[in-house]
Each structure stands twice: as structure tokens, then as C-alpha cells.
Amino acid sequence: MNDARAGRFFAHGVMITLSLLAIFPVYWMVQTSFRPENTVFSTGLFPTAPTLDNYRAVIEAMPIFRIIWNTFVMAGATAIAQVATGLLAAWALVRWRFPGGRLVHSLIALSWLVPFQVVMIPNYVLATRLGLLDSLAGLVIPNAAAAIAVLVIYNAMRGFPREVVEAARMDGTSSLRTLLEVVLPNMRAPLASVGILCFISAWNDYFWPLLLIRRMENSVVQIGLQFFMTQEGNDWGLLMAAATLASLPILILYLVLQRQIVDSFMKSGIR
């Protein structure tokens, strides 16, 4: 075996090992969800007597499918709103020249670095006064704009040919129509990438729903999973079954849009 072949063999071995380590927690979650209560803490790799009792108990204990639907609606609406506001903001920054334009761009970039914990209390007070407490609208509206969406779309839009935009302007097309009828159809790929990133980010959000949601029927999956975590102890079988059900929609999304998701993560530099 020459050195080059040995190097490839070693690299493949490392990648396979790291892949198995990465996927093992997911496998452990799924196989634990099929274990009876008395074997939940068994260290075996496979359940000796697999059962669906945990899934039946989860469905009886909480409206899990409604919670998943709430999360899907919340994440989808948040992603659409962030893409729409990001598109309009990026178009204004790229197309129009106005005093302070660079400063506005810098402030948007800096706002991305502000941790959510800094703004969550003012947002909570505002949402309460607007009557958005314990509602899906309250989860979506404060997150309708995202700096990452503006920055990614801005960078993609800067590469759009200015000659095409100028030709539309000379034909008498308004700025908004140029954006919607000329630019938007040619930027479906980057917009889809941003939309996927925003959807996954909203799906995984925990702190804001934890502050805003009070009733189980208005909850999202991250908050619903807490139902099985108490001070007396965690019901691991039901918790793993609920986590498996909650993971299915995002797993299906990944399988359907695998190439676009990987591409969006590479373009944005987010792991």
C-alpha cells in the first residue's frame, strides 16, 4: 500500500468514526423511545423487547401533533417574514445611495452580534402590552426581521448584474416592480437557502417561546418536551419518544432539501 492510498484510508477511517460519533446520540434517542420503562437505563445497543407504549403514552399525555403543527407554522411564518424583510432591506442598501447607507449596513451587521438575552426582557414587556402573550403571533412578530437574512441576501444581490436593473429602469419599471419581476425570479436559490436557515433557527428557538407561551395547546416542541422533565425525575422513555416525534418534520425537511441545506450552511459560514 503506497503512502497516498494509506492517507486516503486513514482519512476515510477518521470521517467514518466522527460520523458515527455524531449520529450516535440520535440513534440512542430513537432506540430508547422503544424500550419498556424497566429497561430504559439498560446499556445494550438494541431494545430487547421493543414496544410502542412510550409513543401511546405521549399521545395521551399531551397534544403532540398540535404542538408540532404550532412549531411548523411558527417556524414557517418566521422564515417567510425574515426573507421578505431581508429582501427589501438588502434591495434598499444595494440599489439606493443615501447618506448614512454604510452606517446602516454596519449597524445591521453589529445587531447580529447582540445576544438575545439582552433584548428578551424589553421584547417580553412590549409583547405583553400588545396582547401577544401566549400566542403564535407573539412568537413570530418580534422575530420578523433578522440581520443574518439581510446580510446574506445583500451579498447575493451585490452580484446581480446592474445592467439588467438599469435596463428595467429605462423601460419605466418602478423600483418595486424591478425587484419583484426582475431580481426576485433570478435569486430563488439564495433566497431558498436563507429561508431554510431561518426555518431551522426558528424551529430550534427555545428561550423566546419559554418566556411567552403559557398553555400547552399554544406551545412549541421545545417547551412541550419539558412536560416530561420534573423535579421528581425525568420520564426518559416518554421524553425520548416525544423528542423522536418532534425531530421527524425537520428530518424529513433535511432529506428532501439536503443539497440546498448543505449549500446554505456553506455559503453562510454557519455550522
Side-chain angles (χ1 to χ4, degrees), residues 123-133 135 137-138 141-142:
N123 283 347
Y124 175 78
V125 174
L126 181 60
T128 303
R129 293 183 178 179
L130 292 176
L132 299 176
L133 192 66
S135 68
I141 293 175

Side-chain angles (χ1 to χ4, degrees), residues 24-69:
F24 185 76
V26 179
Y27 166 73
W28 196 259
M29 174 186 72
V30 175
Q31 66 94 13
T32 303
S33 70
F34 290 103
R35 288 182 181 275
E37 184 178 0
N38 58 348
T39 62
V40 164
F41 294 104
S42 172
T43 56
L45 289 177
F46 304 99
T48 55
T51 176
L52 294 175
D53 289 347
N54 291 325
Y55 288 93
R56 295 192 189 96
V58 167
I59 294 173
E60 293 174 357
M62 62 189 301
I64 182 67
F65 296 112
R66 176 165 180 171
I67 289 174
I68 293 175
W69 173 250

Side-chain angles (χ1 to χ4, degrees), residues 2 14 22 25 64 72 80 84 88 91 103 134 136-137 156 172 174 177 190 198 212 227-228 230 238 241 245 268:
N2 55 37
V14 171
I64 182 67
F72 183 81
I80 292 172
L88 294 174
W91 175 248
L103 177 62
D134 198 23
L136 292 182
S174 67
R177 282 189 60 192
C198 295
L212 212 65
F227 183 77
F228 304 107
T230 64
L238 275 62
L245 289 173
S268 63

Side-chain angles (χ1 to χ4, degrees), residues 44-269:
L45 289 177
F46 304 99
T48 55
T51 176
L52 294 175
D53 289 347
N54 291 325
Y55 288 93
R56 295 192 189 96
V58 167
I59 294 173
E60 293 174 357
M62 62 189 301
I64 182 67
F65 296 112
R66 176 165 180 171
I67 289 174
I68 293 175
W69 173 250
N70 287 343
T71 313
F72 183 81
V73 171
M74 181 273 294
T78 301
I80 292 172
Q82 290 180 349
V83 170
T85 54
L87 179 67
L88 294 174
W91 175 248
L93 291 172
V94 171
R95 178 63 183 153
W96 297 337
R97 294 289 180 268
F98 54 91
R102 290 183 177 274
L103 177 62
V104 172
H105 179 268
S106 300
L107 290 176
I108 292 175
L110 289 174
S111 69
W112 187 32
L113 304 177
V114 177
F116 174 73
Q117 288 79 1
V118 174
V119 298
M120 66 180 183
I121 298 302
N123 283 347
Y124 175 78
V125 174
L126 181 60
T128 303
R129 293 183 178 179
L130 292 176
L132 299 176
L133 192 66
D134 198 23
S135 68
L136 292 182
L139 298 179
V140 174
I141 293 175
N143 295 317
I148 180 64
V150 177
L151 297 176
V152 174
I153 297 175
Y154 172 81
N155 288 329
M157 197 173 286
R158 288 184 64 187
F160 192 85
R162 296 183 62 86
E163 294 79 6
V164 177
V165 177
E166 290 299 326
R169 187 184 65 82
M170 293 179 67
D171 288 341
T173 308
S174 67
S175 181
L176 183 59
R177 282 189 60 192
T178 302
L179 172 63
L180 298 179
E181 298 178 3
V182 178
V183 178
L184 184 60
N186 294 286
M187 290 192 60
R188 283 176 293 188
L191 291 179
S193 298
V194 174
I196 292 169
L197 286 176
C198 295
F199 182 89
I200 294 175
S201 176
W203 185 280
N204 293 328
D205 193 11
Y206 175 74
F207 287 110
W208 184 237
L210 180 64
L211 278 176
L212 212 65
I213 297 300
R214 295 292 180 272
R215 293 178 296 176
M216 180 65 74
E217 57 267 27
N218 293 332
S219 182
V220 293
V221 290
Q222 290 77 12
I223 308 305
L225 295 180
Q226 283 191 324
F227 183 77
F228 304 107
M229 303 174 67
T230 64
Q231 292 182 347
E232 289 76 20
N234 301 332
D235 197 334
W236 289 107
L238 275 62
L239 181 61
M240 293 299 105
T244 301
L245 289 173
S247 302
L248 288 179
I250 205 73
L251 178 62
I252 294 172
L253 176 69
Y254 176 77
L255 292 177
V256 174
L257 303 173
Q258 181 178 3
R259 178 175 298 179
Q260 288 82 356
I261 290 175
V262 174
D263 185 60
S264 62
F265 274 80
M266 292 179 63
K267 286 181 178 178
S268 63

